Amino acid sequence: MTTATAGPNVRPAEVDALRRALDLAATDGLVLGPNPRVGCVLLDADGATIAEGFHRGAGTPHAEAVALANARAAVGPDALRGATAVVTLEPCAHTGRTGPCAEALLEAGIARVVFAQPDPNPLAAGGGALLRAAGVDVVGGVLDDEARALNPVWTEAMELGRPFVTWKVAASLDGRTAAADGTSRWITSAASRADVHRLRAGVDTVLVGSGTVAADDPSLTVRDADLPGRQPLRAVMGLRDLPPSSRLAVPDPDGTETLHLRTHDPREALTALWAADRRHVLLEGGATLAAAFWRAGLVDEVVAYVAPVLLGTGPPAVGDLGISTITGALRLDVTDVAVITPGPDHLDGPADAGPGETNVRLTLRPRKES
C-alpha cells in the first residue's frame, strides 16, 4: 500500500525524512549491478534528524549501516536507543558481502522503522518481519511508488528472477538493418548513435551473438566523454569461437572484458548473467538472436531507432518468430516517443549514413496478455 502523506501510523516528520532518504539514494546517479539505490535517515523521539546515509553500490556498506556509523560518530551510540530509522527499502535480513541491516538496527537499539518499498529480493527480504518479531514498531509501504521509481529495472529484475532485457534495434522505415549489399553499416544518424551510447551507459551488460561479432566486429563500449566512465560487461552468446583478431577477443584498453556464453538458449544465457550479478541486459545482436529472445518470451522492453529511409531489401530487424497469422502477432505498447534531431557527432568512425537526418526513438513494452 502506498502512503502519499502522513497517515494515522506515520508522522509528518517521518514522511519528510523518507523524501530526504529518496533524495539521498539518488545522490550518485545511476548505480548499476546487483544492489539497488537506498537512502536512510535516523530520527530522534522528537522527529529531528540524528544522521543519514546512502548506499554506493555492491560491496559497500548499506544505507542503514552508513547512517548508524555517522550517528555514532556525531552523537555517540547511546543516542540511537529508541530512535526511528526511515529507509527507502525494507532493511535486509541477508548476509552477503555485508551483514543484515535488520540485525544492525536491532543492535543499535532502534525502536521504530518506517520503510517505503518491500524488498522484492527473496534472498534479502524478511527484515521487516525480523524486526517486528524482536518488538520493533515497523511500518512499510510508505511512498512505495516513489521508491520503486528509484530502482525500476532492479525491481523488475528481482520480480522476474532474471536480468531485465532491453532490445535495441536501429532500422529503416521498412524494418531493414542494412542494405542488401552490406554497404550501409549505419542506418540511423550520428545523433541516434550517440543516444545508443547513453543507453549502453545505463545497463550493466551488452549482449550480441557470435554471428554479429564475425560480421561487424563491434566494440560494445560506451564512447562518449560526457557519459560515466564505467563500461558495461560485453557478452557474446553462441557456440563458435570469437575471431582472435576481433575487438571482443581481448580486453578493451580500459580493462573491459568479454564473457562468452557458449549456448544458443537465451534462458541459459540469462541464468549465467544473473549468477554474474548482472541485472540489466541490452540486447544488441542481429535478427537471429533477437528472434530467439522473442520466441522465449524474454524481451521486456524495446528501444527502436527508426530512420526515414526505405531499402526494400536487406536483413530484417528480427528473424522468424513462428507467426503465421495476424492473430498471433506480438503486440507492443508505446511508452515513449522522442524525435532525435541532428547534432554534433561525438563518435569517431565512418561518415554518417544520413547527414542531417531526423530519427525517431520509440520505447515500447510487450503487451501483457489479460
Side-chain angles (χ1 to χ4, degrees):
M1 176 180 178
T2 299
T3 306
T5 58
N9 297 321
V10 185
R11 296 182 295 171
E14 293 170 339
V15 175
D16 291 341
L18 190 46
R19 294 195 184 282
R20 169 60 181 165
L22 288 166
D23 289 340
L24 286 169
T27 298
D28 277 354
L30 182 64
V31 175
L32 303 175
N35 290 6
R37 296 186 287 178
V38 182
C40 176
V41 175
L42 301 176
L43 303 176
D44 65 17
D46 296 323
T49 298
I50 301 173
E52 54 189 32
F54 61 94
H55 180 51
R56 293 182 180 272
T60 66
H62 288 189
E64 298 93 323
V66 174
L68 291 172
N70 290 341
R72 292 186 179 104
V75 297
D78 291 341
L80 293 173
R81 296 288 169 186
T84 296
V86 180
V87 197
T88 59
L89 182 70
E90 178 186 7
C92 69
H94 171 64
T95 299
R97 298 183 217 186
T98 60
C101 292
E103 291 187 5
L105 294 173
L106 284 176
E107 292 173 1
I110 298 296
R112 177 173 165 85
V113 173
V114 176
F115 68 84
Q117 181 184 8
D119 198 328
N121 183 353
L123 293 178
L130 187 155
L131 289 163
R132 288 190 186 94
V136 176
D137 184 17
V138 179
V139 179
V142 183
L143 303 182
D144 176 55
D145 289 345
E146 288 88 337
R148 286 179 64 91
L150 187 67
N151 300 290
V153 171
W154 176 84
T155 296
E156 285 203 51
M158 286 299 159
E159 291 171 346
L160 291 167
R162 61 163 175 80
F164 183 91
V165 176
T166 297
W167 177 44
K168 187 276 293 183
V169 60
S172 64
L173 192 60
D174 53 350
R176 306 293 174 173
T177 58
D181 64 358
T183 55
S184 53
R185 180 181 179 189
W186 305 114
I187 292 291
T188 52
S189 67
S192 288
R193 299 198 301 273
D195 195 71
V196 170
H197 285 258
R198 175 199 58 80
L199 190 62
R200 284 181 184 172
V203 305
D204 55 32
T205 306
V206 179
L207 175 63
V208 298
S210 55
T212 293
V213 176
D216 298 337
D217 191 21
S219 60
L220 304 184
T221 55
V222 177
R223 299 185 301 282
D224 190 322
D226 296 330
L227 294 170
R230 197 178 72 138
Q231 296 288 344
L233 173 71
R234 306 181 301 180
V236 180
M237 180 176 155
L239 301 180
R240 76 175 86 175
D241 292 337
L242 303 182
S245 60
S246 66
R247 292 185 176 95
L248 299 185
V250 295
D252 193 70
D254 67 359
T256 304
E257 297 186 353
T258 300
L259 176 62
H260 191 174
L261 304 165
R262 292 184 179 273
T263 179
H264 287 152
D265 183 349
R267 291 190 183 279
E268 187 175 332
L270 291 182
T271 297
L273 289 170
W274 183 265
D277 285 341
R278 303 292 152 168
R279 300 296 179 257
H280 192 180
V281 173
L282 182 63
L283 190 64
E284 285 204 37
T288 300
L289 186 66
F293 272 78
W294 277 110
R295 289 195 302 268
L298 295 173
V299 176
D300 305 301
E301 179 184 55
V302 178
V303 178
Y305 297 87
V306 182
V309 176
L310 293 173
L311 289 173
T313 61
V318 64
D320 183 13
L321 298 177
I323 298 172
S324 58
T325 177
I326 190 63
T327 57
L330 295 174
R331 305 284 180 176
L332 297 94
D333 293 317
V334 177
T335 60
D336 185 66
V337 179
V339 176
I340 301 180
T341 55
D345 188 354
H346 298 291
L347 307 179
D348 295 329
D352 192 7
E357 282 183 355
T358 294
N359 293 172
V360 175
R361 183 188 70 226
L362 299 171
T363 305
L364 312 97
R365 286 292 191 107
R367 185 172 299 173
K368 297 184 183 300
E369 296 182 5
S370 56

